[in-house]
C-alpha cells in the first residue's frame, strides 16, 4: 500500500502535496498532544512556519489582498487580545498568569495562519483517502498507547492521572475531545466495519476518564456516547443490531466485573456534586464546587470594579479581599487564585475587561454556529464546540498554554476531512 501511495503523492499537484502535508502534520500534532508536548509543539510550529510563508506568498504575490475568513480572524483576534493584555499590564506578584497568557496568545496568533491557509483552500485542496486513513491510523495507535499507559499507571498506584497536563481535569478535557474526534474519524472516514473499534475506544476512554476522576468529563462523555450508540444501533441493519447488541452487552458485563478500581471513586465523586452544592448553601464553601462559586463571585466583583481590564496583581488582590469578606476566606478558592478563576468568560472579564470578554464570547459563538454556514451539515464540529464551551464554564481552558492551539488544530483537522477524495490508485 505504501509504494502506490508514494507514487500517487509524487504525481499529485503542488497544492495536493501541501494539503497532505498540512493534514499529516496537524494529525501528528493532535495525536501526540497527550503523550509528548515537545513532539506536538514541534509539528505545530513547523506547520505554522509553512502557513506563514504560504500566507505571505498568496497575499503579496498571488492574490495581492488579504481575505476575511471568520475562523482564522477570530482566532487571530483572540490571540492578539491576550498578548496585548500582557503588554499593557504589570504582573510582578503573579507572573505565571501573564506568562500563560503570553504563550497561549502567541500560539493562537500562529494557529490563525494555519486556519487561514485551510479556509482559503477549502474548495481547492484535495486529500486522498489513503492519506486520511494514514492519519487516522496514527491517531488510533497513539490513542491506544496513551490509554494503556495511563490505565496501567492508575491500576498500579491508584493516583489520579494527569495525561501530560498540569492537572487531572485539563487532561480529562482534552482526552474527551480527542476520543470523540477519533471515533468520528473512524466511523465516517476510516473503516467500513468501525463499530467494534469504536466500542473499544469508548470503553478505554471511560477507563481513562474514570482514572482522572473528573466528574464533568465523565458525565459529558457518557451522555454523548449513549446518544451516539443508541442512534447508530437504531440506524443499523438487523444483523448489525444482533452483533452490535452482543458486543455492547459483553463490554458492559466486562466493565461491571472488572471495574471495581474505578467506579466506586467515580460514583462517589458524582454523588458528592449535589452534596457540595448543598454544603455551599449551608456555609461550608471549602469544596471543589464551593471554590468555583467563590471564585466566580469574586471575579465578577473584580470586573465590576475595573470593567476595562486590570493586571493579575490587581484582580487577585480584589478577589482575595472579596473571598475573605464575603466567602468566609474559602481556602480552596484562595489556593486557586494564583492560576485562574475556573471559568473562561469570568476569568477573561476580570483581567481583560469587557472587550476581552466580548472576544472570548464571539470565539465560542463562532465555534458553535459558524461551521453550519461554512460547510454543509457541519454536525461534526459539535463534537468540539460542545465540550469546549461546556468545560469552559467550570474551568479555564484558554488560560492554559497548550489547550487553545489544540482546539484550533482540531478545527483545521475537521475542515480538512471535508477535502477527502479518492486517491489515484483507488480510482483505478
Amino acid at each position: 500500500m505504501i509504494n502506490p501511495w508514494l507514487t500517487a503523492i509524487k504525481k499529485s499537484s503542488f497544492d495536493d502535496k501541501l494539503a497532505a502535508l498540512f493534514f499529516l502534520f496537524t494529525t501528528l500534532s493532535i495525536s501526540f498532544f497527550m503523550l509528548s508536548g515537545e513532539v506536538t509543539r514541534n509539528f505545530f510550529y513547523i506547520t505554522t512556519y509553512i502557513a506563514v510563508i504560504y500566507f505571505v506568498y498568496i497575499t503579496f504575490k498571488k492574490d495581492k489582498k488579504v481575505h476575511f475568513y471568520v475562523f482564522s480572524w477570530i482566532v487571530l483576534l483572540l490571540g492578539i487580545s491576550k498578548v496585548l493584555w500582557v503588554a499593557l499590564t504589570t504582573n510582578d506578584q503573579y507572573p505565571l498568569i501573564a506568562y500563560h497568557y503570553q504563550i497561549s496568545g502567541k500560539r493562537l496568533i500562529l494557529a490563525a495562519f494555519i486556519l487561514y491557509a485551510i479556509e482559503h483552500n477549502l474548495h481547492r485542496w484535495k486529500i486522498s483517502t489513503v492519506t486520511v486513513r494514514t492519519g487516522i491510523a496514527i491517531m488510533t495507535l497513539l490513542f491506544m498507547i496513551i490509554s494503556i499507559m495511563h490505565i496501567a499507571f492508575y491500576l498500579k498506584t491508584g493516583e489520579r492521572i494527569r495525561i501530560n497536563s498540569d492537572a487531572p481535569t485539563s487532561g480529562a478535557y482534552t482526552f474527551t475531545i480527542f476520543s470523540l474526534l477519533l471515533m468520528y474519524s473512524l466511523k465516517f472516514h476510516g473503516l467500513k466495519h468501525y463499530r467494534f473499534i469504536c466500542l473499544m475506544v469508548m470503553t478505554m476512554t471511560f477507563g481513562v476518564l474514570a482514572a482522572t476522576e473528573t466528574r464533568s468529563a465523565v458525565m459529558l462523555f457518557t451522555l454523548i456516547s449513549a446518544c451516539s450508540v443508541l442512534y447508530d444501533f437504531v440506524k443499523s441493519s438487523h444483523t448489525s443490531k444482533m452483533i452490535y447488541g452482543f458486543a455492547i452487552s459483553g463490554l458492559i458485563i466486562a466493565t461491571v466485573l472488572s471495574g471495581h478500581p474505578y467506579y466506586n471513586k467515580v460514583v462517589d465523586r458524582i454523588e458528592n456534586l449535589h452534596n457540595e452544592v448543598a454544603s455551599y448553601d449551608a456555609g461550608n464553601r471549602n469544596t471543589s464546587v464551593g471554590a468555583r462559586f467563590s471564585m466566580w463571585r469574586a471575579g465578577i466583583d473584580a470586573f465590576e470594579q475595573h470593567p476595562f481590564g486590570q493586571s493579575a496583581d490587581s484582580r487577585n488582590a480584589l478577589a482575595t479581599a472579596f473571598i475573605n469578606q464575603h466567602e468566609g476566606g474559602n481556602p480552596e478558592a484562595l489556593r486557586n487564585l494564583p492560576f485562574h478563576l475556573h471559568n473562561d468568560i469570568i476569568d477573561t472579564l476580570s483581567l481583560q475587561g469587557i472587550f476581552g470578554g466580548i472576544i472570548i464570547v464571539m470565539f465560542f459563538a463562532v465555534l458553535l454556529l459558524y461551521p453550519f454556514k461554512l460547510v454543509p451539515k457541519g454536525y461534526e464540529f459539535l463534537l468540539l464546540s460542545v465540550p469546549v464551551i461546556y468545560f469552559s464554564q467550570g474551568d479555564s481552558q484558554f488560560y492554559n498554554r497548550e489547550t487553545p492551539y489544540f482546539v484550533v488544530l482540531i478545527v483545521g483537522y475537521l475542515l480538512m476531512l471535508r477535502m477527502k477524495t479518492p486517491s489515484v490508485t483507488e480510482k483505478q
Side-chain angles (χ1 to χ4, degrees), residues 154-155 157-163 167-173 205-219 260-270 272-273 276 288 292:
Y154 183 75
L155 291 175
T157 65
E159 299 176 8
R160 292 180 71 182
I161 60 173
R162 297 193 175 196
I163 321 182
T169 50
S170 300
Y173 301 151
T205 303
F206 277 118
V208 172
L209 294 181
T212 68
E213 298 179 18
T214 304
R215 292 172 291 202
S216 55
V218 171
M219 290 189 292
H260 295 287
Y262 290 105
Y263 52 66
N264 289 337
K265 288 185 178 180
V266 175
V267 171
D268 287 344
R269 283 184 60 82
I270 293 174
N272 282 338
L273 189 61
E276 289 181 18
S288 177
R292 282 169 166 79

Side-chain angles (χ1 to χ4, degrees), residues 147-159:
S147 299
I148 292 170
M149 281 176 53
H150 287 92
I151 289 173
F153 176 83
Y154 183 75
L155 291 175
K156 182 179 180 180
T157 65
E159 299 176 8

